[in-house]
Each structure stands twice: as C-alpha cells, then as structure tokens.
Amino acid sequence: MNMSEPAHFDIGDLRGEMRHDEPMARHVSWRAGGVARHLYRPADLADLQAFLRRTPATEPLLFVGLGSNLLVREGGFPGTVVQLVGALAELRMEDGLIYAQAGVPGAKLARFAAANHLCGAEFFVGIPGTLGGMLAMNAGCYGGETWQQVVRVQVLTRSGELLERAPQEYDIAYRHVVLRQAHEEFFVGAWLKFEQGDVEKARQEIRALMEKRSASQPLQQPNCGSVFRNPEGGHAARLIERCGLKGRQIGGAQVSEKHANFIVNVGGATATDIENLIGAVQATVLQQTGIELHPEVRIVGERVK
Ligand SMILES: Cc1cc2nc3c(=O)[nH]c(=O)nc-3n(C[C@H](O)[C@H](O)[C@H](O)COP(=O)(O)OP(=O)(O)OC[C@H]3O[C@@H](n4cnc5c(N)ncnc54)[C@H](O)[C@@H]3O)c2cc1C
C-alpha cells in the first residue's frame, strides 16, 4: 500500500489479532476492494477498550461488522479497520430485554428472540449484518427497523470510555442515524425490547422471509444488498428496471438481472468497476426520470491515482 506511514502498529499486551495491509475483499460481501493499512479484531470488549485507549487520536478508525454494506476503494483505507464480528458476541436476556453485543449477526438475534418467546425480531433474519452495522445503518425490511426495538445502546468513545445512550440522543430516520452531539463513537452493544408472542408463528415468519429473499434476491452472487436508498414515495429497483439497466455491466460488476437495486460481482469486479457502475446507474436514472438516487452502501478509502 502506497501510504506515508509504515505498515506496523505495536499492540503490546492487547489480546486481539492485528493484521497489516489486509485485503478488505476478504471481509466485505462484494468480495472486492482495496486493503486496510491495519485490521484489528479485538478479543472482547475490555480488549477493545484498551485498544482505543492506546490508539493515537490521529489514526483513522473504521468499525465494521460483516461488511455487507461496505466498499473500500482500491487506494485502500489509510487507517485501522476494527472488526467486531466473532469478537463482541455476547447475547443474553437481561430484565426482560435482549442484551446483544455489536458483533452478533442479525439471524442469530432473530433466532434467539424466537427461542425466548419474543416476537418482532423476525425481520433481522434476512439482514446479513451485525447488530453494530444495523444500528449504524438503522437497517430494516418488511416494515421493521432496528431502532424501533432499541431501549438503549452501549457505545465506546474514541478514547475508550464506555457509555450508555438513549435513542433520543440520536437523529434517526430511514437508513440514517446520527448522534446529535457530533462525537466519534462506536456501537458495542444494545438492549432491545420485543413483545411476548407465539414462537411457532415467529419461526414460520422467519422461514417465510428467508424463502421470499432467496426468490427475489441474487444471493448466489457476491452483492451488498440494495445499493440505493428508495427515493421518497418510490422504489429504486423499479426506477432502475424502467430505465432498462438490468444486466448493465462494467468490468466484473453487473446490475443484477434478478433484482435491479442489487449490483453483483460476476467475477473479478474491482471497487472501481462497482463505483463506476453506481455512477452510471445514477446518471441514467437522473437523465430519464429526473430522480436522483443516493447510495445506501458506504464507500470509503482512497481513490487510485
Ligand atoms: C443479501 C443482502 C441483503 C440485505 N438486505 C438488507 C435489508 O433488507 N435491509 C437493510 O437495511 N440492509 C440490508 N442489507 C445491507 C446490510 O446487511 C445492512 O446495512 C447491515 O446493517 C450492515 O451490517 P454490517 O455488520 O455488515 O455492517 P458493515 O457493512 O460492516 O458496515 C456498514 C456501516 O456501518 C458502520 N458500522 C459497522 N459496525 C459499526 C459499529 N459497531 N459502530 C459504528 N459503526 C459501525 C460501518 O463503519 C459502515 O459505515 C443487505 C445486504 C445484503 C448483502
């Protein structure tokens, strides 16, 4: 990676795993993209706190879960990616609420809720991200949204201080979550509330949602879910399809034939192919319909010079 700082980072007595010049294609569901200068996978919450306490405030940090909504440009991420999946994995009942750490995957959360006779978590099953990513994105589907279930969240500040925050402290909307006081903080857990209900019905709903997804989404090809946010009162997929863009390809990136709001990696796609295709779809939709589409996927890192 052509960056000014040397590719080393002394982790001393930290218990997690540090990698250098790590290809992010291994960690994002598009299976494409550049490298991270460092990638740290903490051993647990205490280890993550210790990591943050000793990381210089100038080091750019990017917290990631399963990378199911993320693209790192070919020029790479010039800082440390902190990966929580597999690390912050606690999941338990606490005073009638579910406490889950940020690395818990959506499907695990949905099944844990059903096993505890709770309903309303079914929609999480089809979102292939972690709770941390779902909190950051206010992920949702089929009428459910992550923050509708949140009683309070647990965050770590940039300097490693552990805090609890209430939903009222955030601006929350469709795929939008911003802390009102602009501090750099990261989600490490949340307490979620669900209603008691018919578990068998919840399990059936989970099965039905899985079937619905595999019928309508190109799950066999690397993708990042819906690329664009739905414009107000409209559907990004319908607009893209109406503009004749299904099957449009740049390099190894293609607008899915199965679901027009998905871009799939048909083999060897680069982050640039994907980003160029995103731009081409935006330009065509704007030209033909006058509607501006905005990406839902997060694109980070340096462009190749
Ligand atoms: C097949 C498929 C279907 C999908 N369906 C849906 C759907 O129905 N609804 C939907 O909303 N999304 C959907 N998605 C998109 C994606 O799964 C969600 O956005 C999910 O919330 C991302 O979680 P993640 O852990 O993978 O986050 P990542 O992709 O790793 O990160 C996404 C963003 O969240 C930030 N982030 C991650 N963890 C933290 C943390 N602990 N603290 C602070 N910031 C953090 C990252 O920095 C990044 O900006 C789908 C994706 C795929 C591949």
Side-chain angles (χ1 to χ4, degrees), residues 34-57:
V35 300
R37 187 164 56 195
H38 311 288
L39 182 143
Y40 188 65
R41 196 178 291 144
D44 51 31
L45 185 55
D47 184 65
L48 177 58
Q49 264 186 292
F51 166 83
L52 287 171
R53 280 194 205 113
R54 76 169 57 175
T55 303

Side-chain angles (χ1 to χ4, degrees), residues 24 27-30 48 61-71 82-85 88 102-105 123 126-142 144-146 154-155 174-175 185-189 213 217-219 221-226 262 296-300:
M24 287 303 292
H27 305 287
V28 305
S29 61
W30 252 323
L48 177 58
L61 294 180
L62 176 72
F63 272 54
V64 305
L66 279 157
S68 61
N69 208 43
L70 186 65
L71 184 65
V82 180
Q83 192 181 45
L84 300 190
V85 67
L88 265 57
V104 171
F123 75 92
I127 304 178
T130 59
L131 178 61
M134 295 191 294
L135 288 168
M137 299 298 306
N138 194 18
C141 54
Y142 306 124
E145 264 185 1
T146 306
Q154 196 177 32
V155 298
Y174 165 66
R175 305 294 175 270
E185 294 184 350
F186 312 103
F187 295 112
V188 291
R213 279 184 176 260
Q217 299 180 353
L219 301 181
Q221 293 165 299
N223 70 79
C224 238
S226 292
F262 278 49
E296 175 181 319
V297 291
R298 301 282 175 93
I299 303 176
V300 299

Side-chain angles (χ1 to χ4, degrees), residues 102-119:
V104 171
K108 199 163 177 191
L109 187 57
R111 295 204 167 92
F112 181 79
N116 283 280
H117 307 274
L118 297 170
C119 291

